[in-house]
Amino acid sequence: MSISTMNNKKETWQRYSWLGWGVVIIAIYIWALTGLQFSGVQESAREVSFSILHGLTHPDFSYVYNGSGEDLVSLIIQTLAIAFLGTFVSALLSVPFAFWAARTDKNSRWHVRSTTGKLVLVFIRTFPEIVLAIMFIKAVGPGSFAGVLAVSIHSIGMLGKLFSEAIENMDRGADEALEAAGGNRADIWLLATFPTILPEFINYTLYRFEIAVRSASILGMVGAGGIGTPLLFAIQTRTWNRVGIILLGIIIMVTVIDWVSGTLRKRLV
C-alpha cells in the first residue's frame, strides 16, 4: 500500500470520524433513557405548578428586612460570611499542600513526594461539601460553624490542586537570577517565588470564593447555616412567595459577587 493511499484513508477517517462519535453518543443516550421509569404526571401537578409560578412572580418583599436577624438581608450576609471565612481559611491551609503536591523537580524522590501530595488533595476533594456539612453538624452541631468547616475543608482540595499547578507552571527566571546573584533559599522565596505566584493564588482564591457563595447558599438546607435553611422551610410549607424572594436575593447576591470577583481577577491577570 502506497503512502499516498494511506494518507487518503487517514484524511477520510479524520473527516468523517465525527459521525462515529455521534452514533456512539446517541446510542449512550438511548441506553440511558430506556432505563428511566416514567410513572406519569400527578393529578395535582397543574395546580401546584400554577401556585409555584404565582409565588415566584409575586415575591414576599416584607421578608427582605424586618430586623429579626432571620430576614433575607441578614441571612444573605451570613451566607457571604460563611463563604468568605471558609475560602480565607482554605486559601491559607492550601499553600503547604500545594508545595507538597507541586512537581518542580525530576528527581525520583521529589516525584514520589508530589504524587503523595496529589493523592491527598484528591482524597480531600472527593467528599462533597454537603456531605462534609452533615458530618460536621454531627460533630459541632447545626449552624454556621459547620458550614464554614465544610466549605474550608472541601476548598483545600480544590485550591491545593490549583495552587500546585500554578507553582509547576510559574516562570522561574526570577528564581534563577536571584540564585545566580548569591541569594539563599529564604531570599529566593521572599523576593522571587512568592511575588511571582501571589497573583495566581489570589486569582484562584477569588474564583473559588464565587463557587463557595453558591455552595454556602445550599448548605443551609442540611442545617449548616445561611440562606438555605429558610429556603428549605419555605419549600416544605409551600410558601412560594417566600421562595420567590429568597431565590431573587440569591440571584442578586451571586450576580454581584461574580461581577466583583471577575473585575478583580481581570486586574490581576
Side-chain angles (χ1 to χ4, degrees):
M1 184 181 295
S2 64
I3 297 177
S4 60
T5 304
M6 293 177 62
N7 289 334
N8 290 334
K9 287 186 176 181
K10 185 177 181 180
E11 291 177 0
T12 303
W13 164 249
Q14 292 177 346
R15 184 180 302 174
Y16 296 104
S17 61
W18 63 272
L19 287 174
W21 286 111
V23 171
V24 171
I25 293 172
I26 292 173
I28 292 174
Y29 270 100
I30 293 175
W31 171 75
L33 291 173
T34 54
L36 295 177
Q37 295 182 355
F38 183 67
S39 58
V41 180
Q42 299 291 330
E43 295 180 359
S44 59
R46 179 184 177 85
E47 180 182 353
V48 172
S49 299
F50 278 112
S51 299
I52 294 173
L53 182 62
H54 182 271
L56 295 178
T57 54
H58 296 79
D60 180 15
F61 288 102
S62 63
Y63 183 67
V64 173
Y65 183 77
N66 54 29
S68 65
E70 297 295 329
D71 49 74
L72 181 64
V73 173
S74 301
L75 292 172
I76 281 182
I77 294 174
Q78 184 183 106
T79 302
L80 289 174
I82 292 172
F84 177 81
L85 185 57
T87 305
F88 179 76
V89 172
S90 65
L92 295 178
L93 297 179
S94 297
V95 174
F97 284 96
F99 280 95
W100 181 12
R103 186 170 299 170
T104 57
D105 198 318
K106 295 182 179 180
N107 185 286
S108 59
R109 180 171 64 89
W110 293 109
H111 178 79
V112 173
R113 183 213 65 178
S114 65
T115 301
T116 57
K118 291 180 186 299
L119 289 175
V120 170
L121 291 176
V122 169
F123 176 77
I124 293 174
R125 66 176 180 270
T126 297
F127 298 93
E129 287 161 321
I130 196 164
V131 174
L132 290 172
I134 294 173
M135 294 168 62
F136 284 124
I137 286 172
K138 298 298 182 181
V140 302
S144 302
F145 186 44
V148 171
L149 291 175
V151 171
S152 59
I153 296 300
H154 181 77
S155 296
I156 288 174
M158 298 300 297
L159 284 178
K161 178 179 182 297
L162 296 174
F163 286 0
S164 66
E165 291 178 353
I167 295 170
E168 291 175 351
N169 299 326
M170 67 174 286
D171 183 6
R172 303 194 175 276
D175 290 18
E176 295 171 356
L178 195 58
E179 184 178 3
N184 55 33
R185 287 182 176 271
D187 294 333
I188 294 173
W189 161 249
L190 292 175
L191 301 177
T193 303
F194 185 70
T196 302
I197 61 177
L198 183 59
E200 286 289 331
F201 279 16
I202 297 176
N203 186 25
Y204 287 134
T205 302
L206 289 171
Y207 174 69
R208 182 60 200 171
F209 177 62
E210 296 178 18
I211 301 174
V213 170
R214 297 177 177 85
S215 301
S217 302
I218 300 173
L219 294 181
M221 291 188 171
V222 296
I227 195 64
T229 302
L231 177 60
L232 178 62
F233 289 158
I235 293 174
Q236 290 177 338
T237 58
R238 298 185 180 182
T239 312
W240 301 117
N241 57 346
R242 178 69 59 84
V243 173
I245 192 62
I246 292 174
L247 291 178
L248 181 61
I250 292 174
I251 291 172
I252 294 174
M253 174 184 66
V254 171
T255 302
V256 171
I257 293 298
D258 284 359
W259 178 77
V260 173
S261 177
T263 303
L264 293 175
R265 286 191 287 116
K266 286 179 182 179
R267 293 178 180 272
L268 290 171
V269 176

